[in-house]
Amino acid sequence: MNVTAQDVELSLQKKFKKEIFSKFCKAINEYELLKENDKVAVCISGGKDSILMAKLFQELTYHNKFKFSLVFLVMDPGYSKLNRELIESNAKLLNIPIEIFNSNIFENVYNVEKSPCYLCARMRRGELYNKAKSLGCNKIALGHHYDDVIETILMGMLYGGQVQTMMPKIRSTNYKGMELIRPMYLIRENDIKKWRDYNNLKFLQCACKFTENNAEYKNDDTTSKRLKVKKLIAELAKADPQIEANIFRSVENVNLSTIIAYKDKQNNRHNFKDEY
């Protein structure tokens, strides 16, 4: 079956409206991710999450009550020829007018021994902020979803010794006037996979040449920890389906009177003994 952009758009309007498009709109409204006259750089890596996000933003332009503009931004950090061609062909198939710019991030992190994936992600975000700002954008949108959020919460507790979450929006401290938003915040990964498979679409799994060619990079500390946490959550959810929602809600229901210590925005530490 040869899928068309119209088929994909119809699937978001009909079959996946409740699980995907409605949750996309809910996140934008609940977390106030969009405002009138925003110019958003929709950051596309070539995977299922970011390309779905691009289509959802396009769909939103038909329904939203105020004007905003979009730039569909693809950074090529050193993709193989085949991977770049796949991104370009998917964009053409789905009528996404991408703007590609090159960087040499893969080359720069090639000889990094400790946590290259973490460093690569940080560098990519900086490049995206810089390019987006040069294009007149005031926001960049990333395709992190609900499962990324709950995994991050548990990773922080198990491996970082802290309670934190992946926020739905963040003001940039290095790029004045810029903001990062995550409009896929409430969408489940399984629903994204169902949408992909229903439309018979093929996306990049991992475009990093290091994970393709070097077994050590496959075992990068951050990546392996996230995979362990993903499996742990899935196992717990088999016994209690509410586990995932409870993890998500845990950072919405923090009671400071039951916390031994916490840090404020200025990084000042407060201990329960201070007011006991």
Side-chain angles (χ1 to χ4, degrees):
M1 175 179 126
N2 294 321
V3 69
T4 66
Q6 291 72 27
D7 294 328
V8 172
E9 290 159 6
L10 187 63
S11 73
L12 293 174
Q13 296 162 7
K14 300 291 185 179
K15 184 173 179 61
F16 295 97
K17 181 178 180 180
K18 180 180 178 182
E19 294 84 359
I20 294 180
F21 184 62
S22 292
K23 289 184 178 180
F24 180 79
C25 296
K26 182 179 179 182
I28 286 175
N29 291 328
E30 185 168 329
Y31 302 116
E32 299 178 352
L33 303 184
L34 272 183
K35 293 183 179 179
E36 191 167 7
N37 298 321
D38 274 346
K39 186 172 183 179
V40 183
V42 181
C43 301
I44 299 173
S45 66
K48 66 186 189 313
D49 308 328
S50 61
I51 292 182
L52 171 58
M53 177 176 64
K55 293 307 297 178
L56 289 168
F57 264 115
Q58 286 182 322
E59 186 66 25
L60 187 64
T61 61
Y62 307 139
H63 303 276
N64 219 45
K65 297 177 181 178
F66 56 81
K67 290 184 178 180
F68 62 92
S69 56
L70 303 169
V71 175
F72 298 97
L73 198 58
V74 177
M75 180 186 65
D76 183 345
Y79 291 143
S80 68
K81 182 181 178 181
L82 286 177
N83 282 338
R84 176 150 174 162
E85 287 176 350
L86 179 58
I87 294 173
E88 292 172 333
S89 63
N90 275 331
K92 183 177 181 181
L93 170 67
L94 298 173
N95 287 337
I96 303 172
I98 59 174
E99 178 164 339
I100 302 180
F101 71 100
N102 298 319
S103 75
N104 57 356
I105 289 176
F106 282 175
E107 182 180 339
N108 288 338
V109 301
Y110 189 80
N111 293 317
V112 175
E113 295 182 2
K114 187 176 181 181
S115 299
C117 296
Y118 173 78
L119 178 61
C120 182
R122 296 266 307 188
M123 293 178 67
R124 279 160 49 194
R125 187 172 300 181
E127 293 271 4
L128 289 168
Y129 267 125
N130 192 51
K131 183 64 175 180
K133 189 166 187 176
S134 73
L135 295 172
C137 298
N138 65 310
K139 291 180 179 177
I140 66 170
L142 300 185
H144 297 118
H145 47 66
Y146 185 98
D147 295 77
D148 291 323
V149 177
I150 61 175
E151 289 161 16
T152 298
I153 294 170
L154 213 52
M155 282 181 69
M157 296 175 67
L158 297 178
Y159 297 110
Q162 58 189 337
V163 177
Q164 63 175 15
T165 188
M166 179 182 283
M167 297 296 286
K169 62 180 180 181
I170 306 170
R171 289 191 181 96
S172 174
T173 55
N174 298 320
Y175 297 86
K176 188 176 180 181
M178 295 289 291
E179 192 175 18
L180 181 155
I181 61 173
R182 294 184 169 106
M184 306 273 283
Y185 205 77
L186 301 177
I187 300 175
R188 297 305 309 263
E189 185 176 25
N190 278 341
D191 290 324
I192 298 173
K193 291 178 179 178
K194 289 176 184 176
W195 168 81
R196 175 199 63 194
D197 297 342
Y198 176 82
N199 288 291
N200 196 31
L201 296 169
K202 304 295 181 184
F203 301 121
L204 295 187
Q205 295 295 320
C206 179
C208 177
K209 63 182 179 182
F210 307 124
T211 55
E212 291 176 343
N213 302 323
N214 191 332
E216 291 181 6
Y217 282 96
K218 291 181 182 180
N219 295 319
D220 176 75
D221 198 38
T222 303
T223 304
S224 61
K225 286 176 181 176
R226 183 169 288 276
L227 183 58
K228 288 177 183 177
V229 167
K230 181 186 283 288
K231 290 179 178 179
L232 173 61
I233 293 173
E235 194 64 31
L236 292 171
K238 288 179 183 178
D240 185 352
Q242 284 297 113
I243 287 289
E244 294 157 316
N246 287 341
I247 296 172
F248 187 91
R249 285 197 293 264
S250 68
V251 292
E252 296 181 331
N253 297 307
V254 177
N255 184 343
L256 292 183
S257 67
T258 66
I259 299 296
I260 293 174
Y262 68 93
K263 294 178 181 178
D264 59 25
K265 288 183 179 180
Q266 287 72 42
N267 210 34
N268 297 316
R269 187 176 177 85
H270 301 269
N271 192 287
F272 85 102
K273 296 182 294 182
D274 298 341
E275 299 180 5
Y276 186 78

